[in-house]
Amino acid sequence: VFAELAEVVAATIASKRQLALARVTAESFLQHHPEVPFYTLLADEEQGCFNPAREPFRTLKLDQLRIDEPLGFRFQYTEMELSYACTPFLIEYLLEAGHQGVVFLKQETLVQDSLAPVFDKLRRHSVLLTPHYLEPLGGAGALEWELKTLRAGVFNGGFLAFSNREESRRLLAWWKRKTRRGCFRAVDQGVHFEQRWLDFFPSFAPDAHILRDPGMNVGHWNLAERRIRVRDDRVTAAGAPCRVFRFSGYEPERPRMVTKYNPHLTVASTGEAAEVFHRYQAMLEAAQYREAHQWPYAYGAYDNGVPIKERDRRIYHDLGAAAARFGDPFTTARPDSFFRSRAARGARPAEAVGR
Amino acid sequence: VTQSICACTAIASNYFAFARVLADSFHRFHPSVPLYILVADSPAHGAAPTGEHDRFVTLEELQMPRMERMLIRYDRKQVLTAVKPALLRHVLDCGYETAIYLDADMLVTANLDPVLNAVAGHAMTLTPHVGPAFAAAERLDLERALLFAGMYNAGFVGVTECDEARRFLDWWDRRLQTHCVDDIRAGLHFDQRWLDMAPALVGDLLLMRDPGVNVAYWNLPDLNVSSGPDGLLVNGTPLRLFHFSGFDPSQSQRVTRYVPSLRVEELGPVAGLFHQYAALLQAAGWNETRTRPWPWDGWLRLLRFVARRRTPFIRNPIDWLLSGHD
């Protein structure tokens, strides 16, 4: 896989359903940095749906990461939770391979300008973080959005960069322990997927750096704060090159809405940013979004085809070490399988049991 | 250290002994640096000023437009935490270039010049509750508590006059006037959770990592405390500022009310400091002053208690009354 050992690499994570998004992210990144390898971790299985050799990115498989009890790890999380939880494992894997820096982009990203300033900063810092906001919000909804940010995490998990330093490795070792079992949205535990844990990073890492470039990690949460201008190929945010634009919660099926997380924000209301959304929509179409979005999720069902309920994933997770007695939680044949034990308790996992 | 620096703290008059001990310990090392003491319920319940360099501040001087509503809606602890940004702004308005806020339950144990110099070089300075050593320690109870309570301890806040510091103080003040509450599900813990936003909102933010500053029960297990010729050493550097967070002089064998099982004797070399501190508080009149009542309690206390219940049927109308319909 590592034919040449690049100094810096970029990476994202996607399930098959999200593969078209990863294609767009990779292609937009490679357009500005053709020399930098771009990796996509498939948080899923190929199942013959696509040919990794023909993708714009280099595909990594879950089995390549060092995760103990990998089947339980995949079972306990939903599709989205699993892809988030893999983040520190993926970054550590790439650093262990010998790269000096890893730029992580969540799969719904468009790179619109050079990331050279990021690579430059990465040489001098252990980790680069982007806050959701750079100044106090104005307007009527400000308080509400600030409270959401306090619950979800001050830094956005959609853009991160780690250099290969002892401090970064220590951060990743800690973060891995957290997302190994604690990558949920659980407000009453102060947890929000992989992202809330980032709030600890400035405390743990004296060499962490907070990027204050308004062109980095522009998304629905800060669109109002950063005026977008589009002049042909050049997109700016608050006057700076808009390097990384994020489409968090954007659903191509509903192209008039900016994000599913804010039902009041329409694309038409975002001024010139609307053009960015139109372009992104077209790129997704060209990347076969419709086809890819139909592909199945390999960890979505038991081996008898019965869909796994989110509640059952949570029950399995909460069993902790006791879950080991079930062995592979996806299998259903053995009488002592997790599936049978759930069914025996009268909690029939979806539809009919068995085939 | 520049002449244009001051410290400040905020108490109600029942905490008068704490402020007295803090002020005396501070002035022992910095006799010429003024310490402003906001006594929220003075002068009606008059705390007697004694120290030569103490300056007393009243709530009225902070000129907070919503103060009356806050006094109705908030209890004593909420009021005392909510006034921090306004107090810091007030001392900057007095003309000081740099100001540090210290919780009243702190004790200065060595010269703070390195701290004051560092604070003077940045728009804002905060102390993280924990440092790199914590990540390896896996103290999960505290980790969970920090997710709820915030990453930075609000017992120490340093600011230096500039637009960025002013902008943060104005914003923090605005939020605390209505949202200085302890509500985990909302993502709030008094004034402190709001500080988690500081790394985002303040570019020139210093996270002070001097292990001898703002030492308290939460970071003691990660620190190596030893006795030196001039006092305690923390990881080999002088212990400068100890934070007796949650310490109750009336139960002086318990380290903090937040970890009821933790006994002072378990703290090794720090135990002696707790004994000294308890004695200082007694000498400063803790027993005589601790029962001074908060003037905005009484029936309002009952109303606040009811308003905090989670039933919207009860909470909403009372909230509406208490909030002055804003």
Side-chain angles (χ1 to χ4, degrees), chain A residues 149-350:
Chain A
T149 306
L150 286 176
R151 294 191 291 265
V154 171
F155 305 104
N156 183 265
F159 172 89
L160 289 163
F162 282 80
S163 65
N164 203 344
R165 296 174 175 223
E166 199 194 326
E167 183 172 286
S168 335
R169 305 291 286 271
R170 278 204 307 263
L171 274 182
L172 287 167
W174 176 82
W175 196 22
K176 268 182 3 178
R177 289 203 297 274
K178 299 306 139 193
T179 68
R180 174 66 186 79
R181 288 186 48 78
C183 191
F184 301 112
R185 185 174 174 278
V187 172
D188 55 356
Q189 294 170 49
V191 170
H192 188 91
F193 304 109
E194 88 294 11
Q195 183 172 271
R196 181 80 215 286
W197 301 111
L198 301 178
D199 283 5
F200 277 100
F201 280 19
S203 299
F204 291 167
D207 285 334
H209 179 75
I210 293 159
L211 286 173
R212 306 194 68 79
D213 176 349
M216 287 302 300
N217 215 351
V218 178
H220 66 81
W221 53 87
N222 57 23
L223 260 181
E225 178 190 89
R226 303 176 191 183
R227 182 178 289 267
I228 302 295
R229 290 262 176 255
V230 180
R231 297 285 174 275
D232 301 323
D233 276 354
R234 207 151 161 74
V235 182
T236 57
C242 184
R243 302 178 198 280
V244 173
F245 199 101
R246 299 276 325 294
F247 296 87
S248 167
Y250 177 71
E251 297 171 305
E253 299 84 358
R254 301 168 67 211
R256 278 147 51 137
M257 300 309 297
V258 167
T259 172
K260 63 183 173 190
Y261 302 119
N262 184 349
H264 308 295
L265 192 58
T266 61
V267 167
S269 73
T270 61
E272 294 186 27
E275 175 61 20
V276 178
F277 282 89
H278 297 326
R279 288 177 185 177
Y280 185 62
Q281 172 81 9
M283 289 181 209
L284 287 178
E285 293 290 342
Q288 309 299 324
Y289 172 82
R290 280 163 205 275
E291 184 205 359
H293 200 61
Q294 307 294 325
W295 289 336
Y297 176 51
Y299 314 125
Y302 294 95
D303 65 359
N304 62 359
V306 175
I308 302 166
K309 287 181 184 173
E310 185 173 345
R311 197 188 54 191
D312 288 347
R313 294 186 192 275
R314 203 61 76 244
I315 288 167
Y316 180 86
H317 167 273
D318 292 345
L319 287 171
R325 72 173 186 270
F326 295 112
D328 177 353
F330 292 97
T331 61
T332 57
R334 284 182 294 105
D336 59 347
S337 66
F338 178 72
F339 178 83
R340 295 282 178 100
S341 107
R342 290 295 300 146
R345 280 164 205 260
R348 294 188 161 261

Side-chain angles (χ1 to χ4, degrees), chain B residues 40 59-60 62-74 79 82-83 177 294:
Chain B
L59 277 185
E60 290 72 33
L62 299 187
Q63 299 179 341
M64 297 173 73
R66 288 179 198 238
M67 198 64 234
E68 282 175 14
R69 280 177 208 171
M70 290 166 72
L71 289 171
I72 293 170
R73 188 176 208 182
Y74 288 165
V79 170
V83 296
Q177 289 184 22
W294 179 244

Side-chain angles (χ1 to χ4, degrees), chain A residues 59-134:
Chain A
T59 306
L60 294 173
K61 297 177 180 180
L62 270 185
D63 285 333
Q64 292 175 260
L65 306 186
R66 270 215 323 264
I67 301 174
D68 57 308
E69 294 175 49
L71 295 176
F73 181 68
R74 294 165 204 183
F75 185 88
Q76 68 179 346
Y77 286 141
T78 63
E79 183 176 345
M80 188 174 77
E81 287 162 355
L82 180 70
S83 74
Y84 293 169
C86 288
T87 312
F89 294 93
L90 168 64
I91 296 170
E92 185 186 65
Y93 172 81
L94 292 167
L95 290 179
E96 279 186 355
H99 302 293
Q100 292 308 301
V102 176
V103 171
F104 174 80
L105 302 162
K106 245 180 207 170
Q107 80 278 38
E108 71 291 66
T109 299
L110 200 57
V111 178
Q112 306 185 114
D113 215 314
S114 163
L115 296 184
V118 172
F119 297 148
D120 190 46
K121 285 245 162 43
L122 201 48
R123 286 191 192 98
R124 283 172 285 135
H125 297 281
S126 56
V127 58
L128 306 181
L129 298 166
T130 47
H132 283 103
Y133 309 105
L134 294 172

